[in-house]
Amino acid sequence: MTARRGYPAVDRFRVAAALLVVCIHTAPLASFSAAADFALKTLARLAVPFFFTATGFFLLGELVRPGLRPRTLSPGVRRFLKKTGVLYAACTVLYLPVTLYAGNFPVKNVLGELVRDAVLDGTFYHLWYLPAALLGVLVVCGLLRFLRPGAAAGVCGALYLAGLLGDSWYGLAKQLPALKAGYDALFGVMDYTRNGLFFAPAFLMLGALLAGFPARRRPRACLAGLGCSLALLFAEAFGLRALGWPRHDSMYLALVPCACFLFLCLLVPRGGDAPFLREFSMLVYVLHPMAIVGVRGAARVLHAREWLVENSLAHFAAVAAASCAAAWLLARLSQRRRWDGRSGTAPKPDLRRARAWAEVDLEAVARNAGALQGCMPAGCRLMAVVKADAYGHGAPAVAGRLWQAGVRAFAVATPEEGAQLRRCGITGEILVLGYADAARIRELRRWRLCQTVTDPAHARALARAAGRRPLPVHIAVDTGMHRLGTDAGAAPAVAEMLRLPGLEVRGLFTHLAVADSPAPEDAAFTRTQLDAFEALARKLRGAGYTLPPLHAQASCGILNQPQPDCGYARPGIALYGALSTAGCAARLHPVLAPALALRARVVSVRRVPPGEGAGYGLAFRARRSTRLAVVAIGYADGWPRAAGEGRGHVLLHGRRAPVVGRVCMDQLLVDATDTGAAVGDVATLIGADGPERITAEEAAEAAGTIANELLCRIGPACPAFICAEKTKAPRRCAHNAAGLFLASQ
């Protein structure tokens, strides 16, 4: 997948597309010019293809990855089908009174017509989109199970052409008796070919291909392509109208390139996404027919039919305003309900009762991923390392936010960590970096995990256990770290693993030992490792092997050592806005924001006279009259015992205060004489307080360790809350938040 960061332009255009659908059903320019209204309606026909393309891009892109043959529906697809099905059922109930009032309820062959409407035509005139999305996704997933992406795209294109002859090009089909008879029989089963069988699959597949086979996007070329495609669309629409060929006007040949170039243009701006706009636009789409009914009813009551109905532009404006107001209100209520924890996904935490806690800023993680992506070579994908509970930040929540931002590859340490992500709905590639015995093959299969192969014996054992169904793996190569992996000089051994029939090799990787060191000899050693890895790749290619994606760079490797021949890069600690130590070398300097703050409550303040001791072993001796604050955090909460006795600091009221005495199991002592601290105040151990900041690297150095270890120790011990940046929402439990970020997809 190419998606790595958010696509704000896509989310914003959803609103414009929803309003274009309102244009189709209200004809804003009909009172002024039939030709102008038809032109606007033709432009508005782009809305639904855009929606389908976006669904394919974000939902189905991983299915077209080379070598992948999904045997079952992925959790993301199942969740989409369930969510859309529930929405469709709710909308059917909502519009049932209007259907009955309009006399559209079938009276003959009730069961057959109800099934046809529910599956193909929609239970109300605009609701056809929802069953089309459901059926179209099933069609595309079914095709990709048995066919390669190119062949599946060809079938979708053929279905679209067949639907085209029953829609805007119907006049051509009528001229051929056999075709006319076939379409007449078809229209006995369905009202239109604009449905999930003929229409939706083409654009869903288009979106999947744009995500699965990324190309370099040139904004000017995309805009030029969009302009030419729109010109062809208008020429086609007006030409067919002049000929009198359309039976309906939803499907045009030029819609396909129009949707393609439009989506490519919208993919160019990168940054944060807007989940609220996704929900808002869908609600506008769903509610606007109800707004039409309401506006017409208001016109009758107010005797304003001339202004609110017969004036088509005013009618459109009133319907759009009513739809947007209702959609905005419902979207805000829905968002607030989810954040308040009343939806059952997570409890609402009360920080007033917390003694020590970590605050996790998921938006900082997403921004860091984007900044690191900017340091990577073109075509290199980001594989987010979320092992050790995402370095203590909460793996489900972090992976969920990164998935929302477009990351489709993750790395964990154990199969258990991978299974946790799958249970939380994370799709895409999940690589187990650590060793897993071949006896765990069922577990690896069940959770669709990629396993690291450590050596030829391990590879043969996995291949035997896999049998006829190849197990996805990445091969580890030892280039000098001497941990896991096959020696880089043993090209025949690596070639043997590539040939094993029970393995599907999806990656080849090594690990750099001293990429974080600024010492010249260490930089030379890192270059030697990369040279050995690249030499192995050249030998294998020279022997006729087609290699999977290569990857060698972790956090400091990305910042220091370019690797042009790479398919992935594996940032870990840098994703969370830190480096292992403050002295890590860095050739590149992206702006990385710390994603975790650690805070604890002051529970006692007392005066200690000069000469008095305090704490275990009376390790602290007051040299002056000292205000000693007790902070409710200790080594049981992950704060190192070695960070006491004057080596570490906390922030109180924006000022540094030294940690004195020995750190206890659940408390520590702080010299708060110069801070004005009082019981109930918040002490910051990592993070910012006013102008001052203590970084994870600084805190780790005081404890004689690295930021990686410190953060990993804190995460499981302290309750972690999501910082709801840019909203008024309260914080949420980080470990239960992944579902919130995935639900909007």
Side-chain angles (χ1 to χ4, degrees):
M1 290 283 293
T2 56
R4 303 174 186 96
R5 288 171 277 176
Y7 295 93
V10 173
D11 290 334
R12 292 174 189 136
F13 192 80
R14 291 177 191 269
V15 179
L19 293 176
L20 286 175
V21 174
V22 178
C23 287
I24 293 174
H25 297 144
T26 56
L29 303 180
S31 301
F32 310 97
S33 168
D37 189 68
F38 180 74
L40 178 59
K41 185 178 180 181
T42 300
L43 179 65
R45 291 300 178 190
L46 266 173
V48 173
F50 160 77
F51 283 130
F52 283 135
T53 304
T55 298
F57 183 85
F58 292 110
L59 183 69
L60 305 176
E62 65 177 347
L63 301 184
V64 301
R65 185 175 52 206
L68 182 64
R69 290 290 180 274
R71 294 179 178 271
T72 59
L73 296 177
S74 69
V77 171
R78 291 198 296 268
R79 187 169 53 252
F80 171 83
L81 295 175
K82 179 180 178 180
K83 181 180 176 182
T84 306
V86 170
L87 177 62
Y88 185 31
C91 291
T92 298
V93 173
L94 175 66
Y95 282 98
L96 184 60
V98 183
T99 303
L100 294 173
Y101 177 78
N104 294 330
F105 194 82
V107 293
K108 297 180 180 180
N109 188 21
V110 175
L111 182 59
E113 292 193 38
L114 284 178
V115 171
R116 182 191 68 182
D117 288 346
V119 176
L120 294 171
D121 297 330
T123 51
F124 202 65
Y125 65 83
H126 73 307
L127 294 181
W128 71 270
Y129 168 80
L130 297 175
L134 293 169
L135 180 58
V137 166
L138 289 174
V139 168
V140 172
C141 289
L143 290 173
L144 289 173
R145 179 176 178 180
F146 299 104
L147 302 175
R148 294 184 181 277
V155 174
C156 292
L159 288 172
Y160 187 77
L161 290 175
L164 199 71
L165 289 172
D167 194 271
S168 59
W169 287 75
Y170 181 64
L172 178 61
K174 285 175 63 176
Q175 297 177 24
L176 303 172
L179 272 180
K180 183 180 183 302
Y183 280 102
D184 288 345
L186 187 67
F187 291 131
V189 179
M190 60 186 70
D191 289 340
Y192 306 101
T193 53
R194 172 217 62 185
N195 54 39
L197 181 60
F198 295 104
F199 186 21
F203 295 102
L204 290 167
M205 180 59 75
L206 172 63
L209 292 174
L210 289 176
F213 296 93
R216 185 176 179 184
R217 293 165 192 130
R218 298 177 174 84
R220 292 183 180 178
C222 294
L223 286 172
L226 178 60
C228 293
S229 301
L230 286 173
L232 291 174
L233 175 64
F234 285 118
E236 181 183 2
F238 277 93
L240 293 174
R241 185 186 188 208
L243 292 171
W245 280 11
R247 181 178 182 272
H248 196 249
D249 55 1
S250 290
M251 302 174 70
Y252 294 102
L253 277 171
L255 269 182
V256 177
C258 279
C260 179
F261 284 112
L262 170 64
F263 208 80
L264 286 173
C265 289
L266 296 174
L267 292 179
V268 172
R270 306 294 288 273
D273 51 6
F276 175 82
L277 294 182
R278 293 196 287 273
E279 190 165 3
F280 172 77
S281 60
M282 178 54 70
L283 286 169
V284 170
Y285 185 98
V286 166
L287 296 175
H288 77 272
M290 198 64 75
I292 292 175
V293 173
V295 169
R296 290 179 177 270
R300 182 179 301 174
V301 171
L302 299 173
H303 304 289
R305 181 176 178 81
E306 179 181 358
W307 293 104
L308 287 179
V309 178
E310 295 177 3
N311 186 316
S312 60
L313 189 58
H315 180 58
F316 162 75
V319 170
S323 303
C324 289
W328 183 87
L329 179 62
L330 290 175
R332 292 294 293 180
L333 289 175
S334 174
Q335 186 183 56
R336 182 175 299 176
R337 179 176 180 271
R338 283 200 301 269
W339 277 107
D340 281 348
R342 292 192 293 271
S343 60
T345 55
K348 177 181 177 181
D350 185 358
L351 292 185
R352 293 172 299 180
R353 300 180 181 180
R355 48 177 288 276
W357 65 93
E359 297 172 0
V360 179
D361 185 353
L362 294 181
E363 298 307 312
V365 177
R367 289 194 299 271
N368 293 339
L372 291 168
Q373 184 65 61
C375 299
M376 292 157 51
C380 184
R381 292 172 285 182
L382 188 147
M383 178 181 285
V385 179
V386 292
K387 62 182 180 179
D389 201 28
Y391 291 65
H393 292 67
V398 167
R401 181 63 187 88
L402 290 174
W403 194 98
Q404 186 191 48
V407 176
R408 294 296 182 269
F410 302 89
V412 295
T414 65
E416 290 85 355
E417 291 182 344
Q420 180 194 32
L421 296 186
R422 291 293 192 217
R423 282 193 293 267
C424 292
I426 302 298
T427 59
E429 186 106 328
I430 298 181
L431 171 63
V432 178
L433 290 170
Y435 175 85
D437 191 88
R440 306 187 70 176
I441 187 74
R442 290 187 178 180
E443 187 179 355
L444 295 170
R445 285 198 192 285
R446 178 186 178 187
W447 300 110
R448 304 180 314 285
L449 305 176
C450 287
Q451 174 57 43
T452 291
V453 174
T454 60
D455 54 48
H458 188 214
R460 288 190 289 270
L462 289 172
R464 283 194 301 270
R468 295 183 179 180
R469 287 179 55 194
L471 177 72
V473 298
H474 286 224
I475 296 175
V477 176
D478 180 16
T479 56
M481 191 169 184
H482 302 319
R483 200 167 61 175
L484 296 180
T486 301
D487 190 273
V494 178
E496 176 194 349
M497 291 186 276
L498 289 171
R499 292 194 305 268
L500 284 173
L503 302 182
E504 178 195 341
V505 181
R506 294 187 180 177
L508 197 69
F509 75 95
T510 191
H511 200 79
L512 305 180
V514 286
D516 60 339
S517 172
E521 60 272 20
D522 289 334
F525 185 81
T526 300
R527 189 64 256 171
T528 300
Q529 283 191 273
L530 290 173
D531 289 343
F533 189 53
E534 291 164 3
L536 172 64
R538 285 194 300 271
K539 286 182 183 178
L540 293 171
R541 290 190 179 110
Y545 291 94
T546 300
L547 294 186
L550 309 179
H551 47 111
Q553 298 164 304
S555 293
C556 286
I558 293 171
L559 303 181
N560 288 321
Q561 294 287 348
Q563 184 200 0
D565 185 12
C566 68
Y568 291 112
R570 309 183 307 269
I573 188 67
L575 273 177
Y576 312 102
L579 294 175
S580 296
T581 63
C584 284
R587 182 178 59 86
L588 303 175
H589 299 278
V591 178
L592 301 177
L596 182 141
L598 180 65
R599 309 189 197 277
R601 194 78 60 186
V602 174
V603 295
S604 172
V605 178
R606 67 182 65 238
R607 179 74 62 178
V608 177
E612 287 281 337
Y616 281 119
L618 299 179
F620 170 69
R621 288 285 177 180
R623 297 181 180 179
R624 58 175 178 171
S625 179
T626 303
R627 296 183 72 247
L628 206 60
V630 179
V631 179
I633 189 171
Y635 56 78
D637 305 297
W639 192 249
R641 190 169 183 267
E645 300 191 53
R647 289 184 287 271
H649 292 80
V650 305
L651 300 180
L652 288 166
H653 295 287
R655 303 185 67 178
R656 287 177 175 260
V659 178
V660 297
R662 296 174 184 170
V663 174
C664 308
M665 181 179 289
D666 48 25
Q667 300 171 65
L668 56 81
L669 302 176
V670 172
D671 183 349
T673 308
D674 301 323
T675 65
V679 173
D681 287 350
V682 174
T684 298
L685 293 91
I686 299 176
D689 182 359
E692 283 284 351
R693 172 180 290 277
I694 297 175
T695 65
E697 295 94 325
E698 178 187 346
E701 185 177 0
T705 184
I706 59 174
N708 310 47
E709 181 188 358
L710 180 62
L711 293 173
C712 290
R713 291 176 62 175
I714 290 169
C718 283
F721 302 117
I722 297 300
C723 296
E725 191 172 295
K726 299 181 181 178
T727 74
K728 296 181 180 179
R731 297 167 178 136
R732 290 185 49 135
C733 177
H735 300 278
N736 297 320
L740 170 69
F741 300 106
L742 295 172
S744 61
Q745 296 302 320

